[in-house]
Amino acid sequence: MIKLPQTIPVLLFGASLAILSPQLCAAFTVQEVASLAQASSDLPVVKSAGLSPDMDVPWSKPVRIVDPFEGEFLGVFDRNSLSGNLYREGSKQVISLWTPLSIRVLVTLNSSQARSSFYTAGNVYFRPDFLRFVTTKKVDKLLLKVREKVFQLDGSTGTFAVSQELATALKNAPDQNLTIRLVLEGGQSVDSEIGKGTVKAWRNIY
């Protein structure tokens, strides 16, 4: 006899997987679906899948994302500063979100501009402070190498689809930093790394 009160949450979670990816759902047994449901309920909750330079999320850890527009799914956020200092003039920051169905990437560039001088009582004074601002760069291609396999992904607005082959490769990636290359609009390329903490978290996502 099936106990409905215990079965309904599992069925609902399984239905959500089917909506996201029928192929993914078909690969799970009832016991595996129940295990995933329990594991996801214990994860930290992030209320938006949006990426921004000043976002405050658990980095390199599996999270449960509950987005008002996109629904609920698992993911891991990663951040890498290419200059070693997030606030240094000209520094680049690569922010990414890895989910079962997609990879999202945001590249930002920190810039500053001196404020204008002012004149008073016959003297010109220069303000020592600066206006700081952040610009974003459009990412057209994402290349990543997992073991000996190089994956080249084409996307739009910094979003790239995850194939079953790529998902399997990410899940079984070695426990170390992984190098990626981003091709920006206009052809400029940026090399960055995904930290081994995020690589380890992929095992909970894929």
Side-chain angles (χ1 to χ4, degrees):
M1 178 180 296
I2 298 177
K3 296 181 180 180
L4 289 179
Q6 297 177 357
T7 306
I8 289 175
V10 173
L11 292 177
L12 290 175
F13 184 79
S16 67
L17 286 176
I19 292 173
L20 289 175
S21 174
Q23 295 81 3
L24 180 64
C25 185
F28 293 122
T29 64
V30 172
Q31 291 81 5
E32 287 171 330
V33 170
S35 177
L36 284 172
Q38 177 61 41
S40 66
S41 66
D42 296 334
L43 296 177
V45 175
V46 175
K47 295 184 178 180
S48 174
L51 301 182
S52 64
D54 56 351
M55 61 193 302
D56 182 15
V57 297
W59 299 103
S60 300
K61 296 180 180 179
V63 296
R64 183 161 58 96
I65 301 170
V66 184
D67 188 281
F69 301 102
E70 302 180 42
E72 182 174 339
F73 49 93
L74 301 181
V76 55
F77 292 91
D78 185 85
R79 178 176 62 180
N80 185 34
S81 174
L82 300 182
S83 67
N85 184 339
L86 287 177
Y87 306 103
R88 182 178 177 182
E89 166 74 9
S91 66
K92 292 185 180 68
Q93 183 180 191
V94 178
I95 300 173
S96 55
L97 169 60
W98 304 75
T99 76
L101 298 181
S102 70
I103 302 167
R104 301 181 188 181
V105 184
L106 178 69
V107 176
T108 67
L109 177 64
N110 291 333
S111 304
S112 63
Q113 179 178 345
R115 294 181 179 178
S116 58
S117 60
F118 63 94
Y119 176 87
T120 180
N123 295 308
V124 176
Y125 295 90
F126 295 91
R127 300 177 64 100
D129 48 343
F130 294 84
L131 292 172
R132 299 190 179 276
F133 54 93
V134 177
T135 57
T136 60
K137 302 294 183 179
K138 181 182 176 183
V139 181
D140 288 336
K141 295 181 184 294
L142 169 63
L143 292 86
L144 60 160
K145 184 177 182 180
V146 185
R147 299 186 188 276
E148 298 305 316
K149 175 72 172 180
V150 175
F151 294 87
Q152 179 172 314
L153 311 180
D154 297 313
S156 60
T157 62
T159 301
F160 306 89
V162 175
S163 66
Q164 185 59 55
E165 181 185 12
L166 176 56
T168 300
L170 295 177
K171 184 178 183 66
N172 297 297
D175 188 12
Q176 61 188 34
N177 291 358
L178 185 142
T179 301
I180 63 173
R181 173 167 293 172
L182 309 172
V183 180
L184 309 181
E185 185 178 27
Q188 179 186 2
S189 63
V190 174
D191 288 350
S192 184
E193 282 190 339
I194 301 300
K196 63 181 181 180
T198 298
V199 173
K200 184 177 181 179
W202 285 343
R203 300 168 191 168
N204 300 93
I205 306 301
Y206 300 107

